[in-house]
CSV table of all heavy atoms in Angstrom, one decimal:
chain,number,residue,atom,x,y,z
Y,3,ALA,N,98.5,78.7,79.5
Y,3,ALA,CA,99.2,79.5,80.5
Y,3,ALA,C,98.6,79.3,81.9
Y,3,ALA,O,97.4,79.2,82.0
Y,3,ALA,CB,99.3,81.0,80.1
Y,22,PRO,N,91.7,91.4,95.6
Y,22,PRO,CA,92.9,90.7,95.4
Y,22,PRO,C,93.9,91.5,94.5
Y,22,PRO,O,93.5,92.2,93.6
Y,22,PRO,CB,92.5,89.4,94.6
Y,22,PRO,CG,91.0,89.4,94.5
Y,22,PRO,CD,90.5,90.8,94.9
Y,34,ILE,N,94.5,92.1,86.0
Y,34,ILE,CA,94.5,90.8,85.4
Y,34,ILE,C,93.8,90.8,84.0
Y,34,ILE,O,94.2,90.1,83.1
Y,34,ILE,CB,93.7,89.8,86.3
Y,34,ILE,CG1,93.9,88.3,85.8
Y,34,ILE,CG2,92.3,90.1,86.4
Y,34,ILE,CD1,95.2,87.7,86.2
Y,37,MET,N,96.4,91.8,81.6
Y,37,MET,CA,97.3,90.7,81.4
Y,37,MET,C,96.7,89.7,80.5
Y,37,MET,O,97.4,89.2,79.6
Y,37,MET,CB,97.6,90.2,82.8
Y,37,MET,CG,98.8,89.3,82.8
Y,37,MET,SD,99.3,89.0,84.5
Y,37,MET,CE,100.5,87.7,84.2
Y,117,LEU,N,109.6,81.6,73.7
Y,117,LEU,CA,109.2,80.2,73.3
Y,117,LEU,C,110.2,79.7,72.3
Y,117,LEU,O,110.7,78.5,72.4
Y,117,LEU,CB,107.8,80.1,72.8
Y,117,LEU,CG,107.3,78.7,72.5
Y,117,LEU,CD1,107.3,77.8,73.7
Y,117,LEU,CD2,105.9,78.8,71.9
Y,168,ILE,N,117.5,89.1,87.6
Y,168,ILE,CA,116.6,88.4,88.6
Y,168,ILE,C,115.5,87.7,87.8
Y,168,ILE,O,115.3,88.0,86.6
Y,168,ILE,CB,116.0,89.4,89.6
Y,168,ILE,CG1,115.2,90.5,88.9
Y,168,ILE,CG2,117.0,90.0,90.5
Y,168,ILE,CD1,113.8,90.6,89.2
Y,169,ASN,N,115.0,86.7,88.5
Y,169,ASN,CA,113.8,86.0,88.0
Y,169,ASN,C,112.7,87.0,87.8
Y,169,ASN,O,112.2,87.6,88.7
Y,169,ASN,CB,113.4,85.0,89.0
Y,169,ASN,CG,112.0,84.4,88.8
Y,169,ASN,OD1,111.5,84.5,87.7
Y,169,ASN,ND2,111.5,83.7,89.8
Y,192,GLU,N,110.8,78.6,93.6
Y,192,GLU,CA,112.1,79.4,93.9
Y,192,GLU,C,113.0,78.8,94.9
Y,192,GLU,O,114.2,78.8,94.8
Y,192,GLU,CB,111.7,80.8,94.3
Y,192,GLU,CG,110.8,81.6,93.3
Y,192,GLU,CD,109.3,81.4,93.4
Y,192,GLU,OE1,108.9,80.4,94.0
Y,192,GLU,OE2,108.6,82.3,92.9
Y,195,LEU,N,111.7,73.6,93.5
Y,195,LEU,CA,111.9,73.0,92.2
Y,195,LEU,C,113.2,73.4,91.5
Y,195,LEU,O,114.0,72.6,91.1
Y,195,LEU,CB,110.7,73.2,91.3
Y,195,LEU,CG,110.9,72.5,89.9
Y,195,LEU,CD1,110.9,71.0,90.0
Y,195,LEU,CD2,109.8,73.0,89.0
Y,201,GLN,N,120.4,70.4,90.9
Y,201,GLN,CA,121.1,69.2,91.4
Y,201,GLN,C,120.9,68.0,90.4
Y,201,GLN,O,121.9,67.2,90.2
Y,201,GLN,CB,120.6,68.8,92.8
Y,201,GLN,CG,121.2,69.6,93.8
Y,201,GLN,CD,120.7,69.4,95.2
Y,201,GLN,OE1,119.7,68.6,95.4
Y,201,GLN,NE2,121.2,70.1,96.2
Y,250,TRP,N,92.4,111.3,78.1
Y,250,TRP,CA,91.5,110.3,77.7
Y,250,TRP,C,90.3,110.3,78.6
Y,250,TRP,O,90.4,110.4,79.8
Y,250,TRP,CB,92.2,108.9,77.7
Y,250,TRP,CG,93.3,108.7,76.7
Y,250,TRP,CD1,93.2,108.3,75.4
Y,250,TRP,CD2,94.7,109.0,76.9
Y,250,TRP,NE1,94.4,108.2,74.8
Y,250,TRP,CE2,95.3,108.7,75.7
Y,250,TRP,CE3,95.4,109.5,78.0
Y,250,TRP,CZ2,96.7,108.8,75.6
Y,250,TRP,CZ3,96.8,109.7,77.8
Y,250,TRP,CH2,97.4,109.3,76.6
Y,262,GLN,N,91.2,123.2,84.9
Y,262,GLN,CA,92.4,123.1,84.1
Y,262,GLN,C,92.9,121.6,84.1
Y,262,GLN,O,93.1,121.1,85.2
Y,262,GLN,CB,93.5,124.0,84.7
Y,262,GLN,CG,94.7,124.1,83.8
Y,262,GLN,CD,95.9,124.7,84.5
Y,262,GLN,OE1,95.8,125.2,85.7
Y,262,GLN,NE2,97.0,124.8,83.8
Y,266,PRO,N,99.4,113.9,80.8
Y,266,PRO,CA,98.6,112.7,80.5
Y,266,PRO,C,97.6,112.5,81.7
Y,266,PRO,O,98.0,112.3,82.8
Y,266,PRO,CB,99.5,111.6,80.4
Y,266,PRO,CG,100.8,112.0,81.2
Y,266,PRO,CD,100.8,113.5,81.1
Y,294,GLY,N,86.0,118.4,93.6
Y,294,GLY,CA,85.4,119.6,94.1
Y,294,GLY,C,86.1,120.9,93.5
Y,294,GLY,O,87.2,120.8,93.0
Y,298,ASN,N,93.4,120.5,93.7
Y,298,ASN,CA,94.6,120.4,93.0
Y,298,ASN,C,95.1,119.0,93.0
Y,298,ASN,O,95.5,118.5,94.1
Y,298,ASN,CB,95.6,121.3,93.8
Y,298,ASN,CG,96.3,122.2,93.0
Y,298,ASN,OD1,96.9,121.8,91.9
Y,298,ASN,ND2,96.4,123.5,93.4
Y,300,GLU,N,97.7,116.1,91.3
Y,300,GLU,CA,98.9,115.8,90.4
Y,300,GLU,C,99.5,114.5,90.8
Y,300,GLU,O,99.8,114.2,91.9
Y,300,GLU,CB,99.9,117.0,90.7
Y,300,GLU,CG,101.1,116.9,89.7
Y,300,GLU,CD,101.9,118.1,89.6
Y,300,GLU,OE1,101.6,119.1,90.3
Y,300,GLU,OE2,103.0,118.0,89.0
Y,307,ASP,N,84.3,106.3,92.4
Y,307,ASP,CA,83.4,106.9,93.4
Y,307,ASP,C,84.0,107.6,94.5
Y,307,ASP,O,83.5,107.5,95.7
Y,307,ASP,CB,82.5,105.7,94.0
Y,307,ASP,CG,81.7,105.0,92.9
Y,307,ASP,OD1,80.8,105.7,92.3
Y,307,ASP,OD2,81.9,103.8,92.6
Y,323,ARG,N,88.4,103.0,96.7
Y,323,ARG,CA,87.0,103.3,96.3
Y,323,ARG,C,86.2,104.0,97.3
Y,323,ARG,O,86.4,103.8,98.5
Y,323,ARG,CB,86.3,101.9,96.0
Y,323,ARG,CG,86.7,101.3,94.8
Y,323,ARG,CD,85.8,100.1,94.4
Y,323,ARG,NE,86.5,99.4,93.4
Y,323,ARG,CZ,87.5,98.5,93.5
Y,323,ARG,NH1,87.8,98.1,94.8
Y,323,ARG,NH2,88.1,98.1,92.5
Y,339,VAL,N,94.9,106.0,100.8
Y,339,VAL,CA,93.6,105.9,101.5
Y,339,VAL,C,92.9,104.7,100.8
Y,339,VAL,O,92.7,104.8,99.6
Y,339,VAL,CB,92.8,107.2,101.4
Y,339,VAL,CG1,91.4,107.1,102.1
Y,339,VAL,CG2,93.6,108.4,102.0
Y,370,PHE,N,100.2,117.7,110.3
Y,370,PHE,CA,101.7,117.8,110.7
Y,370,PHE,C,102.1,119.2,110.9
Y,370,PHE,O,101.5,120.1,110.3
Y,370,PHE,CB,102.5,117.1,109.7
Y,370,PHE,CG,102.3,115.6,109.5
Y,370,PHE,CD1,101.6,115.1,108.4
Y,370,PHE,CD2,102.6,114.8,110.6
Y,370,PHE,CE1,101.3,113.8,108.3
Y,370,PHE,CE2,102.3,113.4,110.5
Y,370,PHE,CZ,101.7,112.9,109.3
Side-chain angles (χ1 to χ4, degrees):
I34 190 80
M37 194 167 172
L117 183 61
I168 58 123
N169 167 17
E192 299 87 339
L195 182 66
Q201 281 175 356
W250 292 270
Q262 186 192 0
N298 227 313
E300 186 166 354
D307 299 295
R323 285 190 189 85
V339 177
F370 295 109

